[in-house]
Amino acid sequence: MKKRWFILFAVLLAAVLALSACSQKSTYECTDPYGCINIGPNDPIKMGVAVVLSGPNESLGVDEVGGVEIAVDDFTAANKDWLGKHTIQVVKEDAQCSAEGGQTAAQKLAADKSIVGVIGTACSSAGEPASKILSDAHIVMISPSNTAPSLTDPQTHAECYLRTAHNDKVQGKAVAEFAYNVLGARTMATIHDGSPYAEQLQQVACDVFTQLGGQCVAQEAINVGDTDMRPVLTKIAASKPDVLYYPIFIQEGALITQQAKEVPGLENTVLMGSDGMISPDFVKAAGAAAEGMYLSGPAAVDDQNFNKKYEAKYGQEPPSAFHLHAYDATMMLLDAIKKVAVVDKDGTIHIPRKALCEALFSTKDFKGLTGTLTCNEYGDCADPKINIYQIQDGKYVPVWPQK
Amino acid sequence: MIAKLKRYLERLTFVDIVVQLFGWAILLVAIIGVIGSLHNSYYTKEQWMDFVVFGISQGGVYALIALGYTLVYGILFMINFAHGDIFMAGAFTGYFLAAKLDAYGFYNTHPIISLLLVMLLAMATSVVVALITERVAYRPLRRAPRLVPLITAIGASFTIEYTFRGFYGSGVEAYPELAIVAGKTTVLGVRILKVHLLVIVVSILMMAGLYFYVQYTKAGKAMRAVAEDKDVAALMGVDVDRVIVNTFILGAALAGVAGVLYALIFKQVHFFMGFIPGIKAFTAAVVGGIGNVPGAMLGGFFLGIFESLGPGLILEGLGIPASYQLKDVIAFTLLVVVLIFRPTGILGERLSEEKV
């Protein structure tokens, strides 16, 4: 019996010695308070993508995955020497368009200690829990399309969260100004679906509209998954608003668009939506009823070069409005990694986590495809330009601001 | 009479009293809400009527699905949770035919034939899916404890949903609009969307047909016999398996029609569309008294009207903002209240407890 214990002890001792010998081989010593990611000489650099990959809003996520993958290709091509034997691996998770989805995806990614950073999420509802979980795990997260003001609010902002999408304080203001000044509307009604994106965006629009001198006559809400919108529309029709603004998502948005045409009292009401519904899928779902409706969204940067790459890789045009934001987010992340990473003689890459986070927050005058990006202390990096589009013959045509 | 009351009071436990009080409290709040709303007179009379009409047409669809739940429960004492997805299967397949007919222009030149074709295809698909489910997931478990088929039903539900997702993708497809039912009309001085009128008429016809089938045909008689006692019915020469298959066919055919009607109203289909109507129809079946055919019809209409009218009529009067987000709360509170005062549902039979 004693002999056995001795053997076990000896084996353990040998193991400990062997391990310490291994670590001695490296000349790098990690001093980062959040720890470092060590990528072996032949291992890939792993980054996560957590966007919506199923359900009615799938096109939004597919669009962004394309942006990320093209950025990875471009970065790899331009940094062959620095990467050496390393490749960049993209780990995809479905964060859906809900708080539960965001939580699951973020927890899965946070459990993988070799993930350097995460691009995502697509929806603000998924972004709220995901930003907290990833920041607690000291993983940086850059969202290409979260727009809810609360995510970069000084009070509620998660430590290592940034975004390349506009803040809805800007978008809501644009909607209100367009409705008041261009459409000449004086009364507005809104519908949201309880998601942080829709609820906060309609609130900003209403606040600005009221400041301009208009009146918000009704602020209603529906549930995700509701189909019969006629009762709530009948209620809104009782106040005969000039503009009905519903910044929600494709499925429910399409139902409201169709049913608003059938509810008496809304014949002269102009319909408006926002970037959650900018997708060919929306036009397909809403059909002819969508014709003439206005939607706000990020300014169309018609990047032919990017579109060509996208079509060559996926055989279709980018299906939504945030592929360039995803591209910029990925480029920002990879640039920052390159800046803070320490490469050992044997090819091992060490990435200090806190330094990476700080490097991203100090991004200044970054030349991206969506404009020149500069991050503030709460993670807003966008160079926000909002357009109002009108659906004409099934296409999104920018109508405001005029060029 | 007094003796009866005394016995009743003796049997009353503490929990009963609390539950009853809870029920009365909900009713009281509802009444306050109604008075408040009527006092505000925010809506015109036409708008109140609109709410009722929306509710009836929505209720018609609920009722058709609820019948499927109730028929199967009446015979097998099993909740077929895959029923909502059988409804989806019909609507989705109907969509493909409708879209094809629309593409060739046949849809609007021969609307009635098209509609019949689409409905037949939807019914056929729903029936096939239901029969496969019954054969694969339920029949092997006929003698198993009652919880077991319940769990397989949930499994079957996911299987159907994700099979359709695999085949047709997860996007929302737009159902082509039928020109003859576009726009409004007036019936008995009430304005109504033509599509709602169609839905109400078709669902009432289907229900009447079902009622006659169950009450006045031989097959219907066999069905009622099996519902009353499977073993005795078998001794009397009724082929029980056949009756069960018949029941599934009936329920699925009604769900197929409901699927097409639903798609006509909402002009959208997607793979997850059966989930919420399925749950609502189940609620309707329980409210009406599960296992009871007229009960499911009544429950469906009741729930539809309540959902449409409730937020405006009750919640608004209580000063709750954005009341339509709480539509589902109304529906399920209705279920709770009905179950407190009538545990077997509005038309529920005491018999069903003895049968179990």
Side-chain angles (χ1 to χ4, degrees):
Chain A
M1 203 63 195
K2 252 185 189 165
K3 204 174 163 191
R4 260 199 202 164
W5 281 113
F6 181 72
I7 291 172
L8 186 69
F9 183 71
V11 168
L12 277 177
L13 192 71
V16 169
L17 282 176
L19 278 176
S20 57
C22 276
S23 61
Q24 270 167 11
K25 216 164 56 184
S26 165
T27 51
Y28 180 78
E29 203 174 314
C30 181
T31 52
D32 194 272
Y34 292 168
C36 303
I37 306 149
N38 303 312
I39 300 161
N42 300 312
D43 295 340
I45 299 173
K46 276 162 90 178
M47 57 182 281
V49 176
V51 291
V52 48
L53 294 173
S54 65
N57 301 306
E58 201 178 356
S59 56
L60 191 59
V62 170
D63 186 63
E64 290 169 357
V65 168
V68 172
E69 287 180 345
I70 290 171
V72 167
D73 290 350
D74 286 1
F75 183 86
T76 312
N79 294 281
K80 276 221 167 72
D81 297 337
W82 182 76
L83 281 169
K85 280 192 208 160
H86 299 280
T87 53
I88 297 167
Q89 188 191 342
V90 177
V91 181
K92 283 179 242 174
E93 287 292 339
D94 186 1
Q96 299 173 350
C97 206
S98 64
E100 299 80 24
Q103 187 165 2
T104 317
Q107 264 162 356
K108 260 176 142 172
L109 289 169
D112 185 346
K113 293 295 167 213
S114 59
I115 295 278
V116 182
V118 173
I119 304 296
T121 58
C123 300
S124 301
S125 49
E128 284 198 335
S131 65
K132 300 270 182 302
I133 292 167
L134 290 173
S135 280
D136 285 348
H138 307 308
I139 297 175
V140 290
M141 166 176 172
I142 311 175
S143 169
S145 62
N146 287 168
T147 56
S150 63
L151 283 161
T152 53
D153 190 86
Q155 247 96 63
T156 48
H157 168 245
E159 194 186 354
C160 286
Y161 172 86
L162 305 97
R163 64 175 162 207
T164 53
H166 53 263
N167 187 320
D168 275 342
K169 284 185 182 157
V170 183
Q171 178 163 235
K173 187 162 171 270
V175 167
E177 283 173 353
F178 176 77
Y180 192 87
N181 296 330
V182 182
L183 297 177
R186 291 298 173 264
T187 51
M188 182 185 297
T190 64
I191 304 177
H192 68 81
D193 62 2
S195 68
Y197 157 73
E199 192 169 353
Q200 295 173 25
L201 180 50
Q202 61 86 23
Q203 192 59 51
V204 173
C206 254
D207 289 348
V208 178
F209 193 72
T210 315
Q211 279 166 22
L212 289 171
Q215 197 193 353
C216 255
V217 288
Q219 284 174 284
E220 283 296 326
I222 50 135
N223 292 308
V224 174
D226 276 0
T227 47
D228 198 0
M229 309 298 181
R230 290 178 186 98
V232 67
L233 289 170
T234 302
K235 184 177 172 202
I236 286 172
S239 51
K240 293 206 175 12
D242 295 333
V243 168
L244 173 58
Y245 179 49
Y246 45 105
I248 53 175
F249 291 96
I250 294 170
Q251 193 184 337
E252 294 79 22
L255 287 165
I256 292 184
T257 310
Q258 287 177 331
Q259 295 176 17
K261 304 278 168 194
E262 300 167 351
V263 170
L266 289 177
E267 292 86 358
N268 301 317
T269 302
V270 178
L271 304 181
M272 283 190 77
S274 275
D275 41 8
M277 296 191 281
I278 295 191
S279 158
D281 285 355
F282 171 72
V283 179
K284 211 169 91 186
E291 204 59 27
M293 134 172 219
Y294 295 97
L295 296 110
S296 70
V301 184
D302 202 15
D303 197 313
Q304 287 304 328
N305 188 21
F306 180 89
N307 286 0
K308 253 182 229 145
K309 281 183 203 164
Y310 195 101
E311 279 196 52
K313 202 169 161 84
Y314 303 103
Q316 61 167 0
E317 278 183 28
S320 190
F322 288 100
H323 44 274
L324 297 178
H325 298 82
Y327 182 95
D328 284 354
T330 314
M331 277 303 189
M332 255 172 66
L333 175 66
L334 294 173
D335 267 15
I337 290 174
K338 194 180 163 191
K339 219 180 283 171
V340 300
V342 179
V343 186
D344 253 341
K345 268 172 271 160
D346 65 346
T348 306
I349 298 181
H350 305 279
I351 302 165
R353 288 196 189 271
K354 189 165 189 192
L356 177 63
C357 185
E358 281 166 357
L360 279 168
F361 274 90
S362 61
T363 303
K364 208 165 176 255
D365 299 328
F366 179 90
K367 293 269 174 287
L369 298 182
T370 55
T372 308
L373 308 182
T374 300
C375 298
N376 73 6
E377 55 187 316
Y378 305 114
D380 264 328
C381 303
D383 177 7
K385 292 189 213 81
I386 300 295
N387 270 8
I388 306 283
Y389 300 84
Q390 187 176 30
I391 300 184
Q392 297 175 358
D393 294 325
K395 294 263 177 295
Y396 293 86
V397 181
V399 291
W400 185 85
Q402 275 130 358
K403 281 178 191 136
Chain B
M1 190 67 203
I2 291 166
K4 223 176 177 182
L5 192 72
K6 217 172 159 188
R7 251 207 335 262
Y8 173 76
L9 284 175
E10 269 167 13
R11 266 193 301 175
L12 216 58
T13 64
F14 177 68
V15 176
D16 286 336
I17 295 170
V18 171
V19 167
Q20 289 274 334
L21 282 179
F22 183 63
W24 285 111
I26 295 177
L27 281 185
L28 188 71
V29 171
I31 289 166
I32 294 173
V34 171
I35 294 170
S37 298
L38 294 179
H39 194 70
N40 280 343
S41 60
Y42 179 71
Y43 299 106
T44 60
K45 211 176 122 204
E46 282 81 29
Q47 280 169 331
W48 285 120
M49 280 318 292
D50 284 345
F51 283 136
V52 175
V53 171
F54 297 154
I56 294 177
S57 73
Q58 179 79 36
V61 176
Y62 286 159
L64 284 179
I65 312 174
L67 283 169
Y69 277 107
T70 248
L71 284 172
V72 170
Y73 185 87
I75 289 189
L76 287 179
F77 298 111
M78 177 203 120
I79 310 289
N80 179 12
F81 271 118
H83 196 63
D85 303 297
I86 288 167
F87 155 87
M88 177 274 294
F92 221 119
T93 322
Y95 157 74
F96 283 107
L97 182 61
K100 270 277 167 314
L101 291 175
D102 193 43
Y104 291 117
F106 189 78
Y107 197 54
N108 277 320
T109 48
H110 302 81
I112 295 173
I113 302 176
S114 307
L115 200 57
L116 280 178
L117 281 176
V118 171
M119 277 193 184
L120 278 179
L121 180 71
M123 282 160 87
T125 314
S126 291
V127 166
V128 170
V129 173
L131 286 183
I132 294 173
T133 321
E134 197 269 338
R135 190 69 195 79
V136 174
Y138 304 147
R139 196 180 294 183
L141 300 168
R142 191 67 47 79
R143 300 271 160 202
R146 287 174 65 198
L147 264 184
V148 177
L150 190 77
I151 305 295
T152 48
I154 294 170
S157 161
F158 284 134
T159 310
I160 300 172
E161 271 164 24
Y162 287 91
T163 308
F164 271 78
R165 188 191 153 191
F167 280 152
Y168 307 123
S170 63
V172 179
E173 306 288 341
Y175 212 82
E177 196 168 1
L178 203 56
I180 52 158
V181 290
K184 298 181 200 65
T185 180
T186 311
V187 176
L188 305 172
V190 178
R191 64 183 175 195
I192 180 170
L193 291 172
K194 282 184 194 163
V195 64
H196 282 164
L197 188 64
L198 177 80
V199 169
I200 294 169
V201 169
V202 172
S203 56
I204 288 177
L205 280 180
M206 296 300 293
M207 283 182 242
L210 177 78
Y211 188 75
F212 279 102
Y213 178 83
V214 172
Q215 293 297 330
Y216 300 107
T217 65
K218 214 170 162 190
K221 204 179 213 175
M223 209 178 258
R224 280 181 291 140
V226 173
E228 224 162 85
D229 195 320
K230 243 190 285 186
D231 298 326
V232 175
L235 288 176
M236 298 295 143
V238 177
D239 184 346
V240 175
D241 269 338
R242 210 196 152 91
V243 168
I244 290 173
V245 166
N246 265 346
T247 313
F248 271 93
I249 291 178
L250 266 184
L254 292 174
V257 173
V260 174
L261 296 181
Y262 192 83
L264 277 177
I265 306 180
F266 298 118
K267 303 182 192 79
Q268 275 192 4
V269 287
H270 65 108
F271 78 100
F272 210 57
M273 67 183 280
F275 181 70
I276 290 179
I279 300 242
K280 290 281 172 61
F282 173 59
T283 310
V286 174
V287 164
I290 192 147
N292 182 310
V293 171
M297 302 179 196
L298 185 76
F301 285 117
F302 201 59
L303 187 70
I305 294 173
F306 219 77
E307 246 185 25
S308 164
L309 208 53
L313 188 60
I314 297 173
L315 297 182
E316 216 112 293
L318 297 172
I320 293 173
S323 51
Y324 276 91
Q325 208 178 14
L326 298 176
K327 198 176 74 174
D328 294 348
V329 176
I330 297 252
F332 296 121
T333 309
L334 172 73
L335 177 68
V336 171
V337 172
V338 167
L339 290 183
I340 286 175
F341 294 111
R342 281 198 64 91
T344 49
I346 300 174
L347 297 184
E349 340 155 31
R350 295 247 170 259
L351 198 71
S352 59
E353 258 171 56
E354 288 160 30
K355 273 194 284 182
V356 176

